[in-house]
Amino acid sequence: MIDNLALAISHGLIALAVWRLLRRPDLDREDTPPPRKGRPRA
């Protein structure tokens, strides 16, 4: 049987990671990536 504490800790860590990712300021920008160096793919 899965321990409720282990379930709470794992879900809490996932929620913390999602919350921190959503609060990043670079998610609001839509900068284009720098051009690749080398040969373009066909």
Side-chain angles (χ1 to χ4, degrees):
M1 188 161 114
I2 297 176
D3 185 31
N4 286 335
L5 178 63
L7 201 63
I9 289 173
S10 63
H11 281 77
L13 288 174
I14 292 170
L16 178 65
V18 168
W19 182 69
R20 289 189 54 148
L21 284 172
L22 289 176
R23 296 200 31 99
R24 289 177 56 132
D26 59 338
L27 289 178
D28 292 334
R29 290 183 296 188
E30 294 187 13
D31 297 336
T32 57
R36 286 186 176 195
K37 292 183 180 180
R39 213 171 43 151
R41 291 186 174 181

